[in-house]
Amino acid sequence: MAEIGASKKEQMSTKYQPSEVEKGRYQEWVQSGVFKPSGDPKAKPYSIVIPPPNVTGKLHLGHAWDVTLQDMLIRFKRMQGYDTLWLPGMDHAGIATQAKVEAKLAESGLSRYDLGREKFIEKTWEWKEDYASTIRKQWAKMGISVDYDRERFTLDEGLSDAVKKVFVDLYNKGIIYRGEYIINWDSKAQTALSDIEVIHQDDDGAFYYMTYPLTDGSGVVEIATTRPETMLGDTAVAVHPDDPRYQDIIGKTVTLPLLNKEIPVIADSYVDRDFGTGVVKITPAHDPNDFLVGNRHDLPRVTVMNPDATMNENAGKYAGLTREEARKAIVSELKALGRLDKVEHMVHSVGHSERTGVVVEPMLSTQWFVKMDGLAKRAIDNQSDPNNRVDFFPKRFEQTYLTWMENVHDWVISRQLWWGHRIPAWYHKKTGEMYVGIDAPKDSDNWEQDPDVLDTWFSSALWPFSTMGWPDADNPDFKRYFPTDTLVTGYDIIFFWVSRMIFQSLEFTGKRPFKNVLLHGLIRAADGRKMSKSLGNGVDPMDVIDSYGADTLRWFLATGSAPGQDVRYSEETMKSSWNFINKIWNASRFVLLNLEGFTVQDIDLNGPKTLADKWILSRLNEVIQKTTELFDKFEFGEAGRQLYHFIWDDYCDWYIEMAKETLTSDDQEAVHMTKSILAHTLNNILRLLHPIMPFVTEEIWQSTPHKSESIVVAPYPTVDDSLIDPTAVKELDILVAAIKAVRNIRQEMDTPLSKPVTILIKPTQDAVKEMLIDNTAYLERFCHPEYLTISEQVTAPAQAMTAVIDGAEIYLPLAGLIDVDEEIKRLEGELVKLDKEIERIDKKLANESFVSKAPEKIVTKEKEKRIGYVKQHRSVSDRIETLQQN
């Protein structure tokens, strides 16, 4: 039971210093074991698996956003008494990690081939250990409350076993197959890419119009292409079967320029007769659509490029040139031969590798694929199951997910890399027979394993259940914590990861991988552009923490936008977040200065209370209720707004200032009550804030009267209905409105608080009159009147500034300072505002959906507001009429 003493107070400087607050605190938490599941069989389990960062470098702001929101949820649920598990882990990131290691080797003049596969993988593991250590330090800096004893890595033994089982099972079901198809080829990484690893961007290009002569000498056909270098792999030209212009050439042949090769003219409905010339070249080995046309017409497939995107032996004299060099040379020769009609320059969308940035080459290749039709259908159908569906927040992203699933292509899963899960397939060295299995063939000397590895997303798709010990269905973690509760990630990863986790989980466990998926947006630069290395506008979250502290960054990420919305990084917003924490810090210092020797046992809320006391306790419980509801709905931005206004406005700017009036009084019972409420409210504020701001709340917690050893395991605040007092809230709101009205008039008339003025208040309701008289001390403290009159007998002076609030009219006689015309104009502006408020409420009350669905007390409150606004409108109109008559 903590007691406040001088030493604790002195530890709190007059300014919030995050580095001092955060130093060493995280290690204390980890070592104390508060992040581990409670294991309480009576407690309801709540589990999250961390979106695994890859081990190629530092955490970026997007991942910092992921872990902030997930940490908020896990701390929130832990404080609510759930048996919480937050399982951390990392992704091996095949392409990205191998590229980093190869680049490092290149600095020493080495390649992976110089080392050989085994030694290269050893080097990559060394890289992984170095960067995994860095990521753990960054997690600690962010303050995330994971159970490190359960940390997993996508290449660890358990996950590797799961990957093998999934591959073999899908192969045996005929869902995984090996085939020759057009795939996306990264010529720099020299590996296949899935469709969603291709980023399309606008590049400068051109349409090249070429002519192919009909072999019988009867004429030519004109063809437009953006890739003249691929003409060397043409095996046909095609027209639409119903195009009247070309009926006479279907079945004939043309001579392919440069190679003097005879190829057929075919008819296929794929051709768009309204685009270009209506004649297209067919290159089955270098275009996905041409590949399908070639299959229908049994055309040969001629590959004219090497894996590094240089031209191969099928390109004739152009062999050895890069694709760009070949394009220039071919265009030049076509022009010389009179086969180039024209060139139209344009901008078009070109696919680039997400990892290396190079232009993706459609390439004919033998790869491993996952057949997606059955898996996708099951995932789509599952959304109709109310007990097993995945709920998306915001809900609109469910349609994004479903649309992608409905149009998904087979998934190419093989990668021509060394770092990753090697494909569990072997080929007999003599017979060529293929064997697929979890274990290698017994006579392994006669078999050679497939050199390719699996797409990183293949193992990441198993993450929610493979990390829980699957395929061991009896694993205690799997039985207790799977399915997990909530996944938090960016909306840009729905296709890469979210969808794949869903269909793999349904296939292998029969259950959804998580109940909810909360999708946040992208963090953009201040000008709205996407952050990127090329633009040099990226922000390192660790640098932000060094400048402002982890809690400042977390508050910004937690409350900066609504679910699914992008947010712009702003230095000014970050400073505002720091100012908010500084406000809390200084308010806590004030409270501690007045709680010397006060213990948690001294907190007693029974007994007489001032209006301010009743009001703050009622508002506190309103905020507890709203914040809890908003957290449960993942509306963290609105929860933050509620907390911000309650803490800054209600507690700091009003209650603490009002408490000063009581703390200096001789009424010791009232003083003790005020101290109790200051301590009680601060204690609840800290617990409400803790999921978002773990460091500063723990630091202040340790200096205030408290029960739990750490705020991490302190109970989350719950509503005490006995302390909710709508009457006190309404009365205090009127009192605050009166004080604000006087202050606004003083400011408008350039009359500072130090200058004495007469304040006349005419109550229009008996209850308001009684409340104002009972709280004259507050009016005098905040308004500094020379004379204060509260009476229904007050008559409005001819020259006075007027304010109309709910239940009272306020006049400040300022003879000589009043411009009647300006005052009428100001009051007319007030009428406009009141008209809008009345109109807003009328629309709400006319909405049958609102009236029928909203709680009765909410509807009643709106009706009461309308009555108040109408009364104010009448008083303002009367005052305008009086001024006009004078």
Side-chain angles (χ1 to χ4, degrees):
M1 305 295 184
E3 178 181 319
I4 306 306
S7 61
K8 284 290 184 185
K9 291 182 296 182
E10 289 164 1
Q11 287 177 13
M12 293 189 68
S13 64
T14 56
K15 191 176 183 182
Y16 167 58
Q17 301 291 343
S19 59
E20 293 302 313
V21 169
E22 295 166 7
K23 187 167 57 180
R25 181 66 69 190
Y26 193 73
Q27 288 308 315
E28 292 174 20
W29 285 333
V30 173
Q31 290 164 11
S32 68
V34 296
F35 296 163
K36 297 181 183 302
S38 67
D40 181 356
K42 296 179 181 178
K44 187 176 180 181
Y46 188 93
S47 59
I48 293 177
V49 289
I50 196 168
N54 65 55
V55 289
T56 58
K58 294 181 176 181
L59 300 182
H60 52 74
L61 273 173
H63 192 77
W65 203 352
D66 291 341
V67 298
T68 294
L69 298 184
Q70 295 206 33
D71 191 48
M72 287 164 51
L73 285 170
I74 213 74
R75 287 180 184 271
F76 172 61
K77 292 298 182 181
R78 184 185 293 120
M79 294 174 77
Q80 286 186 319
Y82 284 75
D83 174 22
T84 55
L85 168 63
W86 191 12
L87 189 149
M90 299 177 205
D91 193 311
H92 66 277
I95 295 175
T97 302
Q98 180 157 321
K100 292 276 188 180
V101 176
E102 290 200 71
K104 191 72 175 174
L105 288 173
E107 293 174 6
S108 303
L110 297 172
S111 73
R112 60 172 156 153
Y113 302 104
D114 295 322
L115 295 183
R117 187 168 193 141
E118 189 174 328
K119 289 288 185 184
F120 177 79
I121 290 174
E122 286 179 13
K123 282 285 184 188
T124 312
W125 272 105
E126 291 173 10
W127 169 281
K128 178 264 175 187
E129 291 305 325
D130 286 344
Y131 278 85
S133 175
T134 299
I135 288 170
R136 288 187 200 103
K137 290 175 183 175
Q138 293 172 333
W139 279 342
K141 209 167 180 178
M142 289 289 301
I144 69 171
S145 54
V146 292
D147 181 2
Y148 284 106
D149 288 348
R150 285 175 164 85
E151 183 182 327
R152 304 303 300 270
F153 180 58
T154 47
L155 284 178
D156 70 26
E157 185 177 351
L159 268 68
S160 294
D161 290 344
V163 167
K164 289 177 187 176
K165 175 175 173 53
V166 167
F167 184 96
V168 173
D169 285 1
L170 290 178
Y171 175 80
N172 290 335
K173 291 178 181 179
I175 295 173
I176 281 182
Y177 65 94
R178 192 167 183 254
E180 190 178 50
Y181 282 88
I182 291 288
I183 49 89
N184 303 301
W185 185 259
D186 182 326
S187 59
K188 184 174 181 180
Q190 296 205 20
T191 186
L193 302 173
S194 66
D195 290 343
I196 53 178
E197 290 172 306
V198 178
I199 306 300
H200 286 83
Q201 64 186 52
D202 290 340
D203 287 354
D204 291 330
F207 265 122
Y208 300 89
Y209 290 80
M210 311 177 295
T211 57
Y212 290 10
L214 289 158
T215 308
D216 63 6
S218 61
V220 299
V221 292
E222 186 179 56
I223 294 163
T225 181
T226 60
R227 301 285 311 278
E229 66 276 13
T230 63
M231 69 177 289
L232 305 174
D234 288 358
T235 55
V237 295
V239 297
H240 194 279
D242 299 328
D243 193 331
R245 293 173 295 178
Y246 302 116
Q247 293 298 309
D248 59 333
I249 67 169
I250 296 172
K252 290 187 176 184
T253 62
V254 296
T255 301
L256 183 63
L258 307 182
L259 295 183
N260 292 319
K261 175 181 173 183
E262 194 171 342
I263 57 176
V265 178
I266 61 173
D268 195 281
S269 57
Y270 156 70
V271 179
D272 182 354
R273 51 183 162 177
D274 297 321
F275 182 77
T277 64
V279 184
V280 296
K281 58 195 281 304
I282 302 299
T283 320
H286 289 279
D287 182 277
N289 293 312
D290 291 3
F291 175 82
L292 297 175
V293 173
N295 287 351
R296 287 196 289 272
H297 296 271
D298 198 25
L299 297 175
R301 304 164 183 163
V302 180
T303 302
V304 296
M305 287 186 202
N306 296 309
D308 64 354
T310 58
M311 308 305 288
N312 67 15
E313 66 278 2
N314 292 327
K317 65 182 179 180
Y318 304 102
L321 297 180
T322 67
R323 55 189 168 184
E324 293 79 16
E325 291 169 340
R327 181 181 302 176
K328 290 179 181 178
I330 288 168
V331 169
S332 177
E333 187 161 350
L334 287 172
K335 187 175 182 181
L337 292 172
R339 292 291 173 206
L340 184 69
D341 278 0
K342 61 181 177 178
V343 178
E344 289 182 354
H345 293 283
M346 50 84 175
V347 174
H348 62 150
S349 180
V350 177
H352 292 252
S353 168
E354 182 207 20
R355 296 296 185 187
T356 65
V358 299
V359 172
V360 167
E361 187 64 49
M363 190 86 80
L364 185 67
S365 179
T366 300
Q367 302 286 340
W368 289 91
F369 295 84
V370 172
K371 192 181 295 183
M372 284 301 304
D373 50 0
L375 296 172
K377 184 178 186 306
R378 182 172 184 176
I380 293 166
D381 292 345
N382 185 69
Q383 290 304 101
S384 300
D385 180 353
N387 298 315
N388 203 37
R389 61 175 279 114
V390 175
D391 290 319
F392 285 75
F393 296 85
K395 186 169 176 55
R396 67 178 184 276
F397 285 112
E398 181 177 0
Q399 189 56 53
T400 302
Y401 159 75
L402 289 172
T403 300
W404 188 75
M405 287 302 238
E406 289 163 359
N407 297 280
V408 70
H409 299 129
D410 284 0
W411 175 18
V412 56
I413 55 172
S414 46
R415 297 291 180 268
Q416 289 63 56
L417 303 170
W418 287 356
W419 176 244
H421 294 97
R422 197 160 177 183
I423 290 175
W426 288 260
Y427 309 99
H428 198 279
K429 293 177 181 177
K430 293 181 180 178
T431 66
E433 177 190 357
M434 185 173 72
Y435 161 80
V436 174
I438 291 176
D439 300 314
K442 291 180 181 179
D443 54 337
S444 57
D445 289 345
N446 293 319
W447 296 80
E448 186 173 12
Q449 188 173 0
D450 194 308
D452 290 353
V453 301
L454 289 164
D455 177 13
T456 300
W457 296 106
F458 190 90
S459 54
S460 294
L462 316 180
W463 187 257
F465 53 96
S466 62
T467 55
M468 299 284 191
W470 187 92
D472 177 8
D474 292 325
N475 184 287
D477 280 357
F478 180 74
K479 291 172 72 174
R480 180 153 180 79
Y481 300 110
F482 183 84
T484 63
D485 286 88
T486 303
L487 170 77
V488 181
T489 192
Y491 62 66
D492 57 328
I493 212 167
I494 292 174
F495 314 133
F496 285 97
W497 193 40
V498 176
S499 60
R500 288 168 173 168
M501 284 189 285
I502 294 173
F503 69 68
Q504 291 286 49
S505 182
L506 291 172
E507 177 69 20
F508 286 97
T509 73
K511 299 176 182 178
R512 57 189 172 187
F514 27 75
K515 298 171 186 173
N516 307 306
V517 53
L518 170 60
L519 295 156
H520 60 71
L522 302 177
I523 297 185
R524 299 186 177 274
D527 60 3
R529 291 193 296 177
K530 189 174 180 179
M531 288 185 175
S532 70
K533 290 181 180 178
S534 60
L535 294 173
N537 62 355
V539 175
D540 186 337
M542 299 303 118
D543 291 341
V544 177
I545 292 174
D546 288 339
S547 298
Y548 298 104
D551 287 341
T552 304
L553 175 62
R554 289 169 63 109
W555 178 262
F556 167 79
L557 293 171
T559 64
S561 74
Q565 298 297 314
D566 292 349
V567 63
R568 296 189 183 191
Y569 178 84
S570 162
E571 200 74 17
E572 288 304 311
T573 305
M574 205 61 68
K575 289 176 181 176
S576 295
S577 299
W578 181 89
N579 286 335
F580 177 48
I581 299 176
N582 196 53
K583 182 84 169 180
I584 298 164
W585 184 261
N586 286 324
S588 301
R589 286 187 74 253
F590 169 81
V591 173
L592 294 178
L593 286 168
N594 287 278
L595 293 182
E596 189 167 348
F598 207 79
T599 69
V600 70
Q601 294 98 329
D602 293 324
I603 298 176
D604 182 3
L605 302 184
N606 295 310
K609 300 178 183 68
T610 65
L611 175 62
D613 292 340
K614 296 175 186 176
W615 168 74
I616 198 66
L617 291 173
S618 187
R619 284 288 297 121
L620 170 65
N621 281 277
E622 286 177 14
V623 168
I624 290 171
Q625 182 178 352
K626 288 179 182 177
T627 302
T628 304
E629 291 172 355
L630 291 166
F631 259 66
D632 283 334
K633 294 191 293 185
F634 308 128
E635 294 179 11
F636 302 125
E638 179 58 22
R641 191 184 71 82
Q642 293 281 342
L643 289 170
Y644 181 92
H645 288 297
F646 172 71
I647 295 165
W648 191 298
D649 298 337
D650 295 353
Y651 186 64
C652 297
D653 284 357
W654 288 105
Y655 184 72
I656 284 180
E657 292 304 313
M658 290 177 170
K660 291 175 182 178
E661 187 71 27
T662 308
L663 290 170
T664 56
S665 76
D666 295 328
D667 186 342
Q668 291 307 304
E669 186 179 5
V671 170
H672 191 275
M673 177 59 72
T674 297
K675 286 184 176 183
S676 293
I677 293 173
L678 282 169
H680 172 80
T681 307
L682 178 59
N683 178 288
N684 278 269
I685 285 171
L686 294 175
R687 288 185 284 142
L688 287 167
L689 282 173
H690 177 72
I692 311 176
M693 300 179 183
F695 290 111
V696 70
T697 52
E698 175 81 338
E699 188 72 11
I700 299 171
W701 175 267
Q702 294 298 337
S703 299
T704 59
H706 62 273
K707 292 181 180 179
S708 301
E709 183 178 341
S710 170
I711 196 171
V712 177
V713 289
Y716 195 77
T718 54
V719 175
D720 183 343
D721 290 324
S722 68
L723 295 176
I724 295 178
D725 188 337
T727 301
V729 171
K730 184 176 181 180
E731 288 183 349
L732 200 287
D733 285 346
I734 292 171
L735 179 63
V736 168
I739 294 168
K740 285 183 175 180
V742 172
R743 286 178 166 181
N744 289 339
I745 291 172
R746 278 180 168 275
Q747 184 178 9
E748 191 169 336
M749 301 308 296
D750 195 21
T751 307
L753 287 174
S754 58
K755 187 174 182 178
V757 295
T758 295
I759 300 176
L760 306 175
I761 301 179
K762 181 181 180 180
T764 55
Q765 299 171 20
D766 291 340
V768 172
K769 174 185 175 182
E770 185 178 340
M771 180 274 294
L772 292 173
I773 291 173
D774 288 345
N775 291 280
T776 299
Y778 291 138
L779 290 169
E780 290 176 342
R781 181 179 185 87
F782 291 104
C783 299
H784 299 285
E786 182 176 18
Y787 300 105
L788 172 63
T789 301
I790 303 171
S791 171
E792 62 268 53
Q793 303 303 320
V794 164
T795 302
Q799 288 194 326
M801 292 290 283
T802 306
V804 178
I805 62 172
D806 186 15
E809 299 169 11
I810 303 171
Y811 306 103
L812 270 67
L814 297 170
L817 296 177
I818 299 296
D819 183 321
V820 174
D821 291 337
E822 285 297 318
E823 175 65 355
I824 291 173
K825 186 177 179 181
R826 186 183 70 82
L827 291 171
E828 286 174 341
E830 289 296 315
L831 280 184
V832 172
K833 292 178 184 176
L834 290 167
D835 283 333
K836 288 180 179 178
E837 287 299 321
I838 293 168
E839 182 182 1
R840 178 187 64 80
I841 293 175
D842 284 344
K843 285 182 179 178
K844 195 177 264 191
L845 294 176
N847 184 335
E848 291 183 11
S849 177
F850 169 76
V851 174
S852 61
K853 294 179 181 179
E856 185 179 349
K857 64 179 182 179
I858 298 295
V859 177
T860 301
K861 190 174 181 180
E862 289 296 316
K863 290 178 179 178
E864 289 174 351
K865 278 186 187 177
R866 189 187 189 283
I867 293 169
Y869 287 140
V870 169
K871 288 180 179 178
Q872 290 179 55
H873 192 284
R874 190 179 303 119
S875 295
V876 172
S877 298
D878 290 344
R879 179 60 177 158
I880 290 171
E881 186 178 347
T882 299
L883 288 171
Q884 287 172 337
Q885 291 172 355
N886 290 334

